[in-house]
Amino acid sequence: VAGNYLRETGEPATDYLAWLKEAPVEALDHGETRRESMYYMIRRSAERIDDVGKDILIVLGQMAYLPVPVWAVAELLDWEPRKLNLYLREMVRYGLIKFEEGEIVCTHALVHGYARDKHMGERWSQDDMLMRLFEWTEASYKAWQKETPPNFANCDALRPHAMVLLERLEERE
């Protein structure tokens, strides 16, 4: 994340190191604060991306830590996949996601955890996005099963994510 951030912004490494030294957590500490240290670094990159990119991160954080089809994210956020590609490329440059063969995934479990745990945008809270994802997934499954023939490929692509969404909803109750 740090390397991608420095390459993308052109910020001198010495400035980034000075910023880390001023951070409220130790960058090389061990134990629970190490996660917070990484979150602090991830936040620096996440703050640079557009609001649509933040929405994408919120979606990825609520889903399973597995590749997600771009078409599903585009449909959920009401964007054409081609337009969404611009935001995805920006997120790749900052080291937040991998984007290959029509699928996206966070680059690391800590990026996924950050996207799940931290509020990043004005448009959606994590709870709002979780409910939106669940409602969209449920409606999509019903529609795909009514198609002739039923679109089981789409159902299969989202099955692990649907299971995670159900678990997260149960945790919230």
PDB file of all heavy atoms in Angstrom, residues 1 31 42 48 59 61 70 74 80 104 119 151 164 166-167:
ATOM      1  N   VAL A   1       0.831  -1.188   0.000  1.00  0.00           N
ATOM      2  CA  VAL A   1       0.000   0.000   0.000  1.00  0.00           C
ATOM      3  C   VAL A   1       0.876   1.251   0.000  1.00  0.00           C
ATOM      4  O   VAL A   1       0.661   2.173  -0.772  1.00  0.00           O
ATOM      5  CB  VAL A   1      -0.963   0.007   1.215  1.00  0.00           C
ATOM      6  CG1 VAL A   1      -1.691   1.330   1.329  1.00  0.00           C
ATOM      7  CG2 VAL A   1      -1.968  -1.121   1.109  1.00  0.00           C
ATOM      8  N   GLY A  31       1.203  -6.945  17.849  1.00  0.00           N
ATOM      9  CA  GLY A  31      -0.038  -7.123  18.590  1.00  0.00           C
ATOM     10  C   GLY A  31      -1.191  -6.406  17.919  1.00  0.00           C
ATOM     11  O   GLY A  31      -1.192  -6.173  16.724  1.00  0.00           O
ATOM     12  N   ILE A  42      -3.540   2.490   5.199  1.00  0.00           N
ATOM     13  CA  ILE A  42      -4.561   2.239   4.171  1.00  0.00           C
ATOM     14  C   ILE A  42      -5.461   3.457   4.038  1.00  0.00           C
ATOM     15  O   ILE A  42      -5.826   3.853   2.930  1.00  0.00           O
ATOM     16  CB  ILE A  42      -5.367   0.968   4.513  1.00  0.00           C
ATOM     17  CG1 ILE A  42      -4.465  -0.267   4.420  1.00  0.00           C
ATOM     18  CG2 ILE A  42      -6.574   0.835   3.598  1.00  0.00           C
ATOM     19  CD1 ILE A  42      -5.045  -1.507   5.078  1.00  0.00           C
ATOM     20  N   ARG A  48      -7.504   9.292  -0.855  1.00  0.00           N
ATOM     21  CA  ARG A  48      -7.145   9.852  -2.160  1.00  0.00           C
ATOM     22  C   ARG A  48      -8.097   9.459  -3.275  1.00  0.00           C
ATOM     23  O   ARG A  48      -8.144  10.099  -4.304  1.00  0.00           O
ATOM     24  CB  ARG A  48      -5.733   9.400  -2.563  1.00  0.00           C
ATOM     25  CG  ARG A  48      -4.635   9.972  -1.732  1.00  0.00           C
ATOM     26  CD  ARG A  48      -4.376  11.371  -2.184  1.00  0.00           C
ATOM     27  NE  ARG A  48      -3.140  11.859  -1.619  1.00  0.00           N
ATOM     28  CZ  ARG A  48      -2.391  12.753  -2.207  1.00  0.00           C
ATOM     29  NH1 ARG A  48      -2.730  13.234  -3.358  1.00  0.00           N
ATOM     30  NH2 ARG A  48      -1.305  13.182  -1.622  1.00  0.00           N
ATOM     31  N   VAL A  59     -18.534  -1.811  -0.597  1.00  0.00           N
ATOM     32  CA  VAL A  59     -19.150  -3.036  -1.127  1.00  0.00           C
ATOM     33  C   VAL A  59     -18.229  -4.226  -0.896  1.00  0.00           C
ATOM     34  O   VAL A  59     -18.643  -5.264  -0.371  1.00  0.00           O
ATOM     35  CB  VAL A  59     -19.473  -2.893  -2.635  1.00  0.00           C
ATOM     36  CG1 VAL A  59     -19.846  -4.242  -3.245  1.00  0.00           C
ATOM     37  CG2 VAL A  59     -20.585  -1.886  -2.854  1.00  0.00           C
ATOM     38  N   GLY A  61     -15.867  -4.626   1.228  1.00  0.00           N
ATOM     39  CA  GLY A  61     -15.714  -4.915   2.644  1.00  0.00           C
ATOM     40  C   GLY A  61     -16.878  -5.687   3.235  1.00  0.00           C
ATOM     41  O   GLY A  61     -16.699  -6.460   4.176  1.00  0.00           O
ATOM     42  N   VAL A  70     -17.226  -7.712 -11.536  1.00  0.00           N
ATOM     43  CA  VAL A  70     -17.389  -6.271 -11.747  1.00  0.00           C
ATOM     44  C   VAL A  70     -18.838  -5.949 -12.083  1.00  0.00           C
ATOM     45  O   VAL A  70     -19.380  -4.945 -11.617  1.00  0.00           O
ATOM     46  CB  VAL A  70     -16.424  -5.758 -12.843  1.00  0.00           C
ATOM     47  CG1 VAL A  70     -16.725  -4.314 -13.204  1.00  0.00           C
ATOM     48  CG2 VAL A  70     -14.979  -5.897 -12.395  1.00  0.00           C
ATOM     49  N   ALA A  74     -21.075  -3.008 -10.390  1.00  0.00           N
ATOM     50  CA  ALA A  74     -21.609  -1.958 -11.265  1.00  0.00           C
ATOM     51  C   ALA A  74     -23.130  -1.890 -11.153  1.00  0.00           C
ATOM     52  O   ALA A  74     -23.702  -0.801 -11.024  1.00  0.00           O
ATOM     53  CB  ALA A  74     -21.184  -2.221 -12.709  1.00  0.00           C
ATOM     54  N   GLU A  80     -22.338   1.817 -15.221  1.00  0.00           N
ATOM     55  CA  GLU A  80     -21.989   0.917 -16.314  1.00  0.00           C
ATOM     56  C   GLU A  80     -20.608   0.352 -16.018  1.00  0.00           C
ATOM     57  O   GLU A  80     -19.726   1.091 -15.565  1.00  0.00           O
ATOM     58  CB  GLU A  80     -21.954   1.678 -17.638  1.00  0.00           C
ATOM     59  CG  GLU A  80     -23.309   2.151 -18.105  1.00  0.00           C
ATOM     60  CD  GLU A  80     -23.203   2.902 -19.422  1.00  0.00           C
ATOM     61  OE1 GLU A  80     -22.314   2.576 -20.235  1.00  0.00           O
ATOM     62  OE2 GLU A  80     -24.028   3.805 -19.624  1.00  0.00           O
ATOM     63  N   ILE A 104     -12.924  -8.186  -9.127  1.00  0.00           N
ATOM     64  CA  ILE A 104     -12.134  -7.332  -8.246  1.00  0.00           C
ATOM     65  C   ILE A 104     -12.079  -7.956  -6.858  1.00  0.00           C
ATOM     66  O   ILE A 104     -13.008  -8.633  -6.423  1.00  0.00           O
ATOM     67  CB  ILE A 104     -12.691  -5.893  -8.166  1.00  0.00           C
ATOM     68  CG1 ILE A 104     -14.182  -5.889  -7.814  1.00  0.00           C
ATOM     69  CG2 ILE A 104     -12.435  -5.139  -9.431  1.00  0.00           C
ATOM     70  CD1 ILE A 104     -14.785  -4.514  -7.697  1.00  0.00           C
ATOM     71  N   HIS A 119     -15.732   3.741   8.341  1.00  0.00           N
ATOM     72  CA  HIS A 119     -16.650   4.574   7.563  1.00  0.00           C
ATOM     73  C   HIS A 119     -15.817   5.427   6.607  1.00  0.00           C
ATOM     74  O   HIS A 119     -14.931   6.145   7.035  1.00  0.00           O
ATOM     75  CB  HIS A 119     -17.478   5.467   8.485  1.00  0.00           C
ATOM     76  CG  HIS A 119     -18.412   6.351   7.741  1.00  0.00           C
ATOM     77  ND1 HIS A 119     -19.511   5.845   7.090  1.00  0.00           N
ATOM     78  CD2 HIS A 119     -18.390   7.671   7.505  1.00  0.00           C
ATOM     79  CE1 HIS A 119     -20.142   6.843   6.493  1.00  0.00           C
ATOM     80  NE2 HIS A 119     -19.485   7.956   6.738  1.00  0.00           N
ATOM     81  N   ASN A 151     -30.496 -18.566 -14.577  1.00  0.00           N
ATOM     82  CA  ASN A 151     -29.113 -18.097 -14.650  1.00  0.00           C
ATOM     83  C   ASN A 151     -28.357 -18.524 -13.387  1.00  0.00           C
ATOM     84  O   ASN A 151     -28.088 -17.731 -12.500  1.00  0.00           O
ATOM     85  CB  ASN A 151     -29.077 -16.578 -14.814  1.00  0.00           C
ATOM     86  CG  ASN A 151     -27.706 -16.066 -15.145  1.00  0.00           C
ATOM     87  OD1 ASN A 151     -26.698 -16.726 -14.868  1.00  0.00           O
ATOM     88  ND2 ASN A 151     -27.645 -14.893 -15.738  1.00  0.00           N
ATOM     89  N   VAL A 164     -21.835 -14.681   3.372  1.00  0.00           N
ATOM     90  CA  VAL A 164     -21.208 -13.702   4.268  1.00  0.00           C
ATOM     91  C   VAL A 164     -22.195 -12.602   4.635  1.00  0.00           C
ATOM     92  O   VAL A 164     -22.259 -12.171   5.793  1.00  0.00           O
ATOM     93  CB  VAL A 164     -19.915 -13.133   3.637  1.00  0.00           C
ATOM     94  CG1 VAL A 164     -19.423 -11.906   4.380  1.00  0.00           C
ATOM     95  CG2 VAL A 164     -18.834 -14.197   3.600  1.00  0.00           C
ATOM     96  N   LEU A 166     -25.419 -12.841   4.884  1.00  0.00           N
ATOM     97  CA  LEU A 166     -26.352 -13.395   5.868  1.00  0.00           C
ATOM     98  C   LEU A 166     -25.717 -13.447   7.257  1.00  0.00           C
ATOM     99  O   LEU A 166     -26.360 -13.087   8.254  1.00  0.00           O
ATOM    100  CB  LEU A 166     -26.807 -14.789   5.441  1.00  0.00           C
ATOM    101  CG  LEU A 166     -27.798 -14.832   4.280  1.00  0.00           C
ATOM    102  CD1 LEU A 166     -28.023 -16.269   3.824  1.00  0.00           C
ATOM    103  CD2 LEU A 166     -29.111 -14.185   4.679  1.00  0.00           C
ATOM    104  N   GLU A 167     -24.458 -13.869   7.327  1.00  0.00           N
ATOM    105  CA  GLU A 167     -23.755 -13.918   8.616  1.00  0.00           C
ATOM    106  C   GLU A 167     -23.652 -12.520   9.224  1.00  0.00           C
ATOM    107  O   GLU A 167     -23.874 -12.346  10.436  1.00  0.00           O
ATOM    108  CB  GLU A 167     -22.351 -14.498   8.434  1.00  0.00           C
ATOM    109  CG  GLU A 167     -22.318 -15.977   8.162  1.00  0.00           C
ATOM    110  CD  GLU A 167     -20.923 -16.476   7.820  1.00  0.00           C
ATOM    111  OE1 GLU A 167     -19.929 -15.767   8.101  1.00  0.00           O
ATOM    112  OE2 GLU A 167     -20.825 -17.580   7.263  1.00  0.00           O
TER     113      GLU A 167
END
